[in-house]
Amino acid sequence: MRPIYLFISFVVLIFSAVSCSKTKGPEPLDLTAGKLSMKVEGTLREADVAYVMTINDEEHYVVTLTAFFTPLGLKNNDDVTDAFHIYIRFSEAQFNNPKGTWDVVAIDSETGGRPLVYALYQEGVGGETMDLYSIAEADKTVGKLTITDFTIGDQTVIPGVTGRGYTKLAGTFHMDLTEVRTDGTGLGPELAITEGRFDVTNTFLGF
């Protein structure tokens, strides 16, 4: 499914942009504009960086919410340790009016025409070991995403990724993700993400 490759590419590109912005050149994005918080196994996490991006892949609108977490915040020049991503695939009509509550499912699930909402959580990004939590079973609902507010406008992101997209997106979420062991030994325990809230913007300053 082509949109998932776009999603993975975004994660790599923007992680690189955030890492580089601390050490050289002008900051490519406003690090203070977006907000995302959630409880991970009951512990509150507040993102240091959170934003939204949109791509029109000619068949769907592909929307990604991305958040990065550091121990002491990026202003203290810490390395990113954890990352959280929500991927949404909308039809044009759904993109134009996304308000509602949608199931969180695996990337290869059949949605019956509803938006596809998928999530990924990474612990220990850039370390010797990284724990990866995702959705292991297709066609099984593991949580809910509710969109309560949005603004559509012209985004300026990275070369080749511009045009019509969400300049603001807000809502709530909760989900139970499953550890996907990267050593090939199968699946691990579930991770409960609750009381999620986001109010994110597309605030890239351009290149």
Side-chain angles (χ1 to χ4, degrees), residues 28-154:
L29 56 115
D30 182 350
L31 299 180
T32 63
K35 298 183 184 302
L36 185 145
S37 65
M38 59 190 185
K39 287 187 176 180
V40 179
E41 292 293 327
T43 299
L44 179 64
R45 302 295 310 275
E46 295 181 312
D48 303 283
V49 175
Y51 54 88
V52 62
M53 285 196 298
T54 306
I55 285 185
N56 183 347
D57 73 352
E58 298 180 357
E59 296 180 2
H60 303 92
Y61 281 89
V62 179
V63 180
T64 60
L65 281 68
T66 300
F68 293 111
F69 302 84
T70 65
L72 299 176
L74 287 177
K75 292 181 180 179
N76 292 284
N77 205 34
D78 283 346
D79 290 330
V80 169
T81 57
D82 300 341
F84 179 65
H85 318 276
I86 296 176
Y87 160 99
I88 312 169
R89 190 185 68 201
F90 284 131
S91 67
E92 183 171 5
Q94 292 161 349
F95 173 81
N96 290 333
N97 184 16
K99 287 186 178 181
T101 298
W102 316 112
D103 293 335
V104 180
V105 296
I107 195 70
D108 55 350
S109 296
E110 294 293 334
T111 61
R114 291 169 62 82
L116 175 66
V117 181
Y118 169 77
L120 185 71
Y121 183 64
Q122 300 161 279
E123 287 185 333
V125 174
E128 293 183 2
T129 61
M130 181 182 71
D131 294 327
L132 180 67
Y133 296 87
S134 186
I135 305 167
E137 186 178 343
D139 302 319
K140 175 184 177 182
T141 299
V142 301
K144 301 286 186 182
L145 171 80
T146 298
I147 295 177
T148 57
D149 194 17
F150 70 100
T151 302
I152 296 174
D154 290 327

